[in-house]
């Protein structure tokens, strides 16, 4: 009796598996491809001309290589970029620059001034994109000095006093003698607010080298260079004796700070299933029914530069270099 029941059970299980397997079919999901959107990377520094990089977004699952990345770049053949200071309209010229993609839209009629608003207009593919930003007053730097991690490698520290009873937002950018432009430090946050430090002494500590952040450049790294990046972190991240270092402490408005804060929040939560999604904010206004990404930011810049002659001798350099 028991043997018969066991046989019947086995037959039932086998028939069930056959029935289930016959119901399984391969399903191919054809995911819709989002239309490319305008991406803006634009800024105007105090006492410098406006600069704007334009590109297009790509589909999430699109395979990226050098050709695909280059095709996202928007040139002057397709777009017109205009910046206004309220009285002068400057149509930016598409010129070479020592920063990927090695050409961008650059102003020539006026430089950024403190406590001034700047309007951006982009004409592209029959549509108009707009934005506005403000350059706040600068906050003077008190001190800049290196902290040597050993006899060779150093990180930088920059100190300043936050004005009392006003909301202030700051960024830090850095370069050395081999770099043509200022970059965000490769590690740690490059923005800070005085929300918890109103009227107090503030600082960016552990400021490391500013490096270009773009996977595009992986195509140009040899295996030896990639191994060097991993095995010689001191050379990659830290300054060393003989370096000339320039730091740019900038004030930004609340809108610009919120954009960068959302970027960091998205970066830190990306891929984490236990956190809420963090969308990156933008201040680029697109036409109805369209979307745009990126930012248009005004920086109230203050510079301090020095030469690391040795661990025990640091020589100030006037202004920026």
């Amino acid at each position: 009796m028991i043997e018969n029941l066991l046989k019947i059970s086995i037959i039932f299980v086998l028939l069930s598996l056959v029935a289930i397997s016959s119901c399984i079919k391969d399903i191919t999901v054809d995911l819709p491809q989002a239309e490319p959107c305008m991406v803006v990377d634009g800024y105007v520094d105090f006492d410098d001309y406006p600069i704007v990089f334009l590109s297009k977004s790509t589909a999430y699952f699109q395979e990226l290589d050098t050709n695909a990345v280059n095709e996202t770049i928007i040139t002057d053949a397709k777009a017109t970029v205009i910046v206004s200071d309220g009285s002068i309209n400057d149509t930016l010229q598409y010129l070479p620059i020592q920063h990927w993609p090695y050409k961008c839209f650059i102003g020539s009629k006026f430089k950024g001034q403190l406590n001034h608003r700047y309007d951006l207009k982009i004409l592209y593919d029959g549509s108009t994109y707009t934005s506005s930003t403000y350059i706040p007053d600068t906050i003077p730097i008190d001190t800049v000095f290196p902290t040597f991690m050993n006899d060779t490698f150093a990180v930088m520290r920059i100190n300043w006093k936050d004005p009392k009873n006003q909301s202030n937002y700051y960024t830090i950018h850095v370069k050395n003698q081999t770099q043509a432009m200022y970059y965000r430090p490769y590690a740690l946050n490059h923005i800070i607010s005085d929300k918890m430090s109103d009227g107090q002494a503030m600082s960016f500590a552990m400021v490391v080298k500013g490096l270009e952040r773009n996977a595009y450049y992986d195509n140009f790294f040899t295996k030896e260079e990639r191994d060097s990046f991993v095995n010689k972190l001191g050379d990659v991240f830290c300054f060393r004796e003989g370096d000339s270092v320039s730091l740019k402490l900038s004030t930004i408005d609340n809108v610009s700070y919120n954009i960068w804060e959302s970027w960091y929040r998205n970066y830190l939560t990306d891929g984490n299933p236990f956190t809420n999604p963090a969308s990156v904010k933008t201040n680029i206004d697109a036409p109805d029914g369209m979307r745009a990404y990126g930012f248009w930011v005004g920086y109230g810049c203050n510079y301090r530069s020095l030469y690391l002659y040795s661990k025990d001798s640091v020589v100030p350099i006037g202004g920026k270099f």
Side-chain angles (χ1 to χ4, degrees), residues 265-312:
R265 189 165 60 249
N266 177 272
Y267 177 79
L268 293 173
T269 60
D270 183 36
N272 188 339
F274 302 104
T275 60
N276 293 324
S279 60
V280 178
K281 297 181 179 179
T282 179
N283 64 343
I284 309 299
D285 294 322
D288 290 342
M290 303 180 69
R291 301 180 66 183
Y293 303 102
F295 55 83
W296 168 240
V297 175
Y299 292 103
C301 312
N302 194 229
Y303 300 88
R304 189 68 64 87
S305 304
L306 45 85
Y307 174 66
L308 307 183
Y309 184 77
S310 71
K311 179 178 179 180
D312 302 313

Side-chain angles (χ1 to χ4, degrees), residues 193-200 202:
S193 77
D194 66 350
K195 185 175 181 180
M196 305 297 293
S197 308
D198 182 53
Q200 301 179 27
M202 299 186 66

Side-chain angles (χ1 to χ4, degrees), residues 42-46 48-51 111-112 118 133 135 296-299:
Y43 58 92
V44 53
D45 283 351
F46 165 52
D48 211 343
Y49 295 109
I51 291 180
K111 295 183 178 181
Y118 295 91
T133 192
I135 299 182
W296 168 240
V297 175
Y299 292 103

Side-chain angles (χ1 to χ4, degrees), residues 126-182:
S127 299
T128 301
Y129 300 80
T130 60
S131 186
S132 183
T133 192
Y134 183 80
I135 299 182
D137 203 357
T138 58
I139 305 299
I141 297 170
D142 286 339
T143 56
V144 172
F145 59 88
T147 300
F148 276 84
M149 315 300 288
N150 54 30
D151 289 338
T152 303
F153 298 120
V155 296
M156 305 300 297
R157 182 184 182 96
I158 182 169
N159 300 322
W160 70 96
K161 176 67 180 298
D162 179 72
K164 194 173 179 59
N165 298 326
Q166 64 184 57
S167 297
N168 294 295
Y169 308 90
Y170 304 94
T171 68
I172 185 69
H173 294 81
V174 64
K175 62 174 289 191
N176 65 13
Q177 71 279 0
T178 66
Q179 296 172 310
M181 301 186 69
Y182 287 84

Side-chain angles (χ1 to χ4, degrees), residues 194-229:
D194 66 350
K195 185 175 181 180
M196 305 297 293
S197 308
D198 182 53
Q200 301 179 27
M202 299 186 66
S203 68
F204 279 106
M206 298 291 292
V207 178
V208 298
K209 283 183 181 178
L211 297 179
E212 186 81 53
R213 304 177 194 193
N214 198 316
Y216 178 88
Y217 285 97
D218 289 345
N219 294 334
F220 299 96
F221 286 157
T222 65
K223 182 180 184 302
E224 291 74 18
E225 288 171 331
R226 285 194 294 269
D227 290 343
S228 175
F229 184 91

